[in-house]
């Protein structure tokens, strides 16, 4: 099978977010390209939504998020390869540089948490899975905890969690714009054997230059490292004002260590531990007091938290619970939402009559069941068809309530999936298994019962004759030479990423409706119009190649979104000579974007057509 080419869609995405000059920086998480843009008004959401590679577009936490799904890393690499765009995960990026200066404080908080935890989640998930497998090996497969094999594998699984403050220090330093190596040195002191040797018990009191100091164990903790690095980032700015450049190489780190390590040990560390302990106690109290309510809220609402990026604020609480108590009650409740999403895919597969929808359902269900990745289902099925989102919310809420009421816990941080069952092994595993099975089956049944409307549900429209409008024909919107769309000079169109159709080399600047229908989209720049014909076909008329860069110059639209139009009605007038003078290719692309509705397409090319000549003849699947 030939390797998929991501260059063309990557170029389309960059153009649709306003071009390279509009991008401050970019990084990706498990499923999304996360852009930080200068001006979101320059984006073209309609183009992104129409791309088959894009599942959805989300604006949240100050980011313009393009949801790709499993191919996000390949798409990210294609974008970065051909553009000079800052990687937000590089230490010199501007990512979250304004975290403390402007914007909604809640949004700033989630931006910071997301930026700190995103880079290390992959390490946490892998280490958590290894720890879970060791539990399985020692419990059921006879591996001895005294064996050297166990010791080596245990070290591999424990390393990320034991040294979690170090990972957080480095990541937080990147976000807070502090020297990452000095930050690691400060936090690393909390794990150094001379210090840990002083900690005979939590709360032990020692003397530091006459100051009574309460000692804590900081292995696997979350909050102290983040607060400490944030405080150091403020101190570093002040130190650089006073330390001469010629001695900064040693004086900066010397001053930082002398000030920040004692400050962290005496003040920041204990406050962070007490704060984390308080949050953990509150969560556990709420879970014990009403696990049913907590589980219902998380099981029903987690999908919506993920869609907005707010879920990152809960990840540290899960990790903190595991560090303090060795188990976490939140992750199992969240699993209800994950398996409810997977159930949607099964329900859609059983209910749908469209082979492309069925294929999407099956292909998106496997990453959810095996890896806990649900965005392809959420955006490709639930949000698109709406009713499945209701089904998974109900099923997730009920299953989450059951899981919470039974006090189910996870022993390590993992993504909820079939492959991560060992993380939930223990006395409550049977309740976890019942809960997620109920979420999966219940969501599938509800999705099937509630149903959903897809393109093939429309009443088929028969052809009309005797001079009446033909609902299955597309006329040339502009007169000129008609060529197959595969021959146009834009790879997005020539590779049929947007759909099949024709290109027209125009001989005038008047674009007319190619059929009766309703205007679905009018691009602000006037260079493209989308129309849904009375036959149910979605036809995109794109005037020129890269003419979006003209920013509306030379284009005058005559219709607006929602207008009903008749074949031959003027939609757009454009200055053909201006487009040529500016060096742009004036070819007009005419393509059918909902090809899932088309059984057969006949292209009339190459010909020279007037704006009344049929250039595309369609046979619908319902005909």
């Amino acid at each position: 099978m030939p390797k998929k080419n991501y260059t063309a869609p990557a170029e389309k995405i960059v153009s649709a977010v306003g071009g390279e000059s509009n991008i401050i920086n970019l990084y990706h998480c498990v499923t999304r390209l996360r852009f930080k843009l200068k001006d979101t008004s320059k984006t073209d959401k309609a183009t992104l939504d129409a791309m088959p590679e894009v599942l959805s577009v989300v604006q949240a936490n100050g980011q313009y998020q393009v949801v790709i799904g499993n191919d996000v890393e390949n798409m990210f690499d294609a974008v970065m390869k051909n553009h000079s765009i800052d990687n937000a995960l590089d230490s010199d990026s501007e990512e979250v540089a304004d975290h403390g200066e402007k914007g909604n404080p809640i949004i700033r908080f989630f931006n910071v948490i997301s930026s700190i935890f995103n880079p290390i989640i992959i390490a946490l998930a892998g280490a958590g899975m290894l720890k879970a497998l060791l539990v399985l090996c020692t419990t059921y497969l006879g591996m001895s905890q005294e064996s050297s094999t166990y010791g080596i594998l245990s070290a591999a699984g424990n390393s990320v969690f034991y040294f979690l403050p170090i990972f957080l220090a480095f990541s937080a330093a990147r976000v807070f714009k502090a020297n990452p190596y000095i930050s690691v040195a400060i936090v690393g002191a909390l794990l150094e054997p001379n210090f840990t040797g002083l900690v005979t018990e939590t709360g032990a009191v020692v003397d530091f230059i006459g100051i009574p100091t309460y000692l804590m164990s900081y292995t696997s903790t979350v909050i102290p490292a983040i607060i400490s690095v944030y405080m150091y980032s403020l101190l570093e700015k002040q130190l650089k004002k006073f330390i001469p450049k010629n001695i900064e190489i040693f004086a900066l780190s010397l001053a930082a260590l002398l000030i920040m390590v004692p400050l962290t040990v005496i003040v920041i560390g204990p406050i962070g531990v007490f704060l984390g302990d308080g949050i953990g106690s509150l969560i556990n109290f709420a879970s014990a007091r009403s696990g049913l309510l907590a589980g219902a809220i998380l099981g029903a609402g987690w999908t919506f938290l993920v869609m907005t990026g707010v879920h990152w604020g809960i990840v540290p609480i899960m990790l903190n619970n595991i560090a303090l108590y060795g188990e976490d009650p939140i992750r199992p409740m969240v699993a209800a939402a994950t398996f409810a999403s997977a159930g949607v895919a099964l329900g859609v597969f059983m209910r749908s009559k469209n082979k492309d929808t069925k294929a999407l359902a099956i292909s998106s269900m496997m990453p959810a069941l095996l890896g806990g990745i649900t965005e392809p289902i959420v955006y490709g099925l639930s949000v698109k068809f709406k009713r499945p989102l209701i089904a998974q919310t109900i099923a997730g809420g009920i299953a989450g309530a059951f899981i919470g009421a039974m006090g189910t816990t996870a022993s390590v941080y993992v993504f909820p999936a079939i492959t991560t069952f060992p993380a939930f092994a223990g006395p409550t595993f049977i309740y976890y298994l019942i809960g997620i099975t109920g979420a999966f089956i219940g969501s599938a049944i509800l999705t099937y019962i509630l149903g959903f409307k897809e393109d093939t549900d429309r009443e088929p429209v028969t052809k009309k004759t005797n001079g009446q409008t033909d609902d299955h024909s597309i006329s040339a919107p502009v007169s000129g030479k008609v060529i197959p769309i595969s021959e146009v000079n834009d790879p997005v169109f020539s590779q049929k990423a947007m759909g099949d159709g024709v290109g027209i080399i125009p001989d005038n600047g008047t674009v007319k409706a190619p059929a009766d229908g309703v205007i679905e989209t009018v691009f602000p720049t006037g260079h493209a119009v989308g129309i849904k014909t009375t036959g149910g076909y979605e036809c995109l008329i794109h005037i020129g190649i890269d003419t979006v860069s003209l920013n509306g110059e030379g284009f005058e639209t005559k219709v607006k979104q929602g207008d009903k139009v008749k074949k031959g009605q003027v939609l757009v007038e454009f200055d053909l000579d201006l487009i040529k003078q500016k060096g742009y290719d004036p070819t007009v692309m005419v393509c059918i974007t909902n090809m899932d509705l088309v059984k057969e397409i006949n292209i009339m090319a190459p010909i020279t057509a007037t704006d009344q000549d049929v250039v595309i003849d369609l046979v619908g699947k319902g005909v």
Side-chain angles (χ1 to χ4, degrees), residues 73-246:
E73 186 171 357
N74 293 322
M75 194 70 74
F76 174 82
D77 290 342
V79 170
M80 301 303 284
K81 179 180 178 181
N82 297 304
H83 294 277
S84 299
I85 298 173
D86 284 344
N87 185 335
L89 299 186
D90 290 341
S91 60
D92 58 350
S93 166
E94 292 300 316
E95 173 69 5
V96 204
D98 60 351
H99 62 271
E101 297 166 10
K102 61 184 179 180
N104 185 297
I106 296 177
I107 289 178
R108 293 205 309 269
F109 171 77
F110 287 120
N111 269 341
V112 169
I113 295 298
S114 174
S115 300
I116 291 173
F117 277 89
N118 249 320
I120 64 176
I121 282 295
I122 187 171
L124 285 168
M129 188 58 198
L130 180 54
K131 286 170 66 70
L133 289 174
L134 283 176
V135 171
L136 184 65
C137 290
T138 55
T139 304
Y140 302 105
L141 302 181
M143 180 183 286
S144 171
Q145 294 187 16
E146 306 301 322
S147 68
S148 57
T149 299
Y150 176 86
I152 292 171
L153 293 178
S154 181
N158 287 335
S159 63
V160 178
F161 294 94
Y162 186 91
F163 294 105
L164 183 58
I166 301 293
F167 286 83
L168 292 171
F170 192 89
S171 189
R174 174 188 55 79
V175 173
F176 296 135
K177 302 301 170 188
N179 185 293
Y181 303 102
I182 296 177
S183 299
V184 166
I186 292 168
V187 175
L190 304 178
L191 306 178
E192 196 273 336
N194 282 311
F195 177 79
T196 58
L198 296 173
V199 187
T200 56
E201 61 179 348
T202 299
V205 180
V206 298
D207 175 84
F208 178 76
I209 58 172
I211 303 173
T213 302
Y214 293 85
L215 299 182
M216 305 280 181
S217 174
Y218 295 101
T219 58
S220 303
T221 56
V222 174
I223 298 176
I226 296 175
I227 297 177
S228 180
V229 173
Y230 174 67
M231 296 303 295
Y232 169 62
S233 70
L234 302 179
L235 174 66
E236 185 180 84
K237 292 181 176 66
Q238 300 305 315
L239 290 175
K240 286 185 174 182
K241 293 179 181 178
F242 300 103
I243 296 175
K245 277 289 183 183
N246 57 348

Side-chain angles (χ1 to χ4, degrees), residues 29 31 40 61 83 97 110 126 180 225 247 274 287 290 328 364 389 408 464 488 543 545 557-558 590 598 607:
C29 56
T31 57
T40 56
N61 299 339
H83 294 277
F110 287 120
I247 63 170
F274 285 130
S287 178
S290 182
D328 169 53
S364 60
L389 184 60
T408 308
K464 298 178 182 178
V488 304
I543 306 166
I545 297 174
T557 56
K558 302 294 185 179
V590 185
V598 178
I607 62 171

Side-chain angles (χ1 to χ4, degrees), residues 470 473-477 511-516 531 533 539 541 565-569 571 590 611:
D470 183 353
S473 295
I474 304 296
S475 296
V511 173
K512 299 180 181 179
D516 293 353
I531 178 174
T533 73
C539 179
I541 304 168
V565 295
K566 302 294 288 183
K567 176 185 173 183
Q569 181 176 335
L571 305 180
V590 185
D611 55 30

Side-chain angles (χ1 to χ4, degrees), residues 192-526:
E192 196 273 336
N194 282 311
F195 177 79
T196 58
L198 296 173
V199 187
T200 56
E201 61 179 348
T202 299
V205 180
V206 298
D207 175 84
F208 178 76
I209 58 172
I211 303 173
T213 302
Y214 293 85
L215 299 182
M216 305 280 181
S217 174
Y218 295 101
T219 58
S220 303
T221 56
V222 174
I223 298 176
I226 296 175
I227 297 177
S228 180
V229 173
Y230 174 67
M231 296 303 295
Y232 169 62
S233 70
L234 302 179
L235 174 66
E236 185 180 84
K237 292 181 176 66
Q238 300 305 315
L239 290 175
K240 286 185 174 182
K241 293 179 181 178
F242 300 103
I243 296 175
K245 277 289 183 183
N246 57 348
I247 63 170
E248 186 179 285
I249 192 171
F250 70 86
L252 178 62
S253 58
L254 174 62
L257 292 170
L258 283 174
I259 295 171
M260 286 306 304
V261 172
L263 182 63
T264 299
V265 172
I266 298 169
V267 181
I268 297 174
I271 290 176
V273 170
F274 285 130
L275 182 60
D277 191 38
I279 294 173
S281 298
L282 182 63
I283 293 294
N284 287 335
F285 173 79
S287 178
R289 187 82 173 180
S290 182
L292 186 146
L293 178 60
I297 293 172
L298 282 174
W302 186 257
T303 297
F304 301 97
L305 296 181
V306 172
M307 288 167 65
T308 57
V310 176
H311 67 298
W312 286 109
I314 301 176
V315 171
I317 300 174
M318 299 182 197
L319 294 171
N320 193 67
N321 281 336
I322 293 170
L324 291 175
Y325 310 113
E327 60 183 18
D328 169 53
I330 299 176
R331 210 48 167 163
M333 302 175 192
V334 169
T338 299
F339 282 89
S341 290
V344 161
L346 178 60
V348 168
F349 175 79
M350 293 188 300
R351 180 70 185 243
S352 176
K353 297 179 181 178
N354 184 302
K355 66 178 183 179
D356 293 330
T357 302
K358 282 180 172 290
L360 173 61
I362 288 297
S363 65
S364 60
M365 182 170 67
M366 299 317 294
L369 290 176
L370 300 179
I373 306 301
T374 59
E375 267 97 336
I377 296 173
V378 172
Y379 294 111
L381 301 175
S382 298
V383 173
K384 178 181 179 181
F385 296 131
K386 298 179 179 62
R387 290 179 187 173
L389 184 60
I390 298 173
Q392 76 176 65
T393 301
I394 295 172
I398 294 172
F402 173 79
I403 289 172
M406 303 310 294
T408 308
T409 59
S411 59
V412 290
Y413 182 89
V414 293
F415 293 155
I418 293 174
T419 53
T420 59
F421 275 176
F424 303 89
T428 60
F429 178 66
I430 184 62
Y431 304 124
Y432 175 75
L433 197 59
I434 293 172
I436 61 172
T437 302
F440 178 70
I441 296 175
S443 181
I445 293 173
L446 278 174
T447 299
Y448 187 87
I449 292 173
L450 292 176
F452 49 89
K453 192 170 183 64
E454 53 185 333
D455 288 336
T456 51
D457 292 335
R458 296 187 183 122
E459 290 294 322
V461 181
T462 57
K463 277 194 175 185
K464 298 178 182 178
T465 54
N466 301 325
Q468 298 183 59
T469 300
D470 183 353
D471 290 331
H472 295 272
S473 295
I474 304 296
S475 296
V478 64
S479 61
K481 182 180 179 181
V482 182
I483 60 175
I485 203 162
S486 58
E487 296 181 11
V488 304
N489 293 322
D490 186 330
V492 173
F493 287 97
S494 64
Q495 294 178 15
K496 301 183 181 180
M498 300 295 292
D500 204 352
V502 299
I504 303 175
I505 303 172
D507 57 23
N508 66 70
T510 301
V511 173
K512 299 180 181 179
D516 293 353
V518 177
I519 300 298
E520 283 201 317
T521 306
V522 178
F523 286 71
T525 53

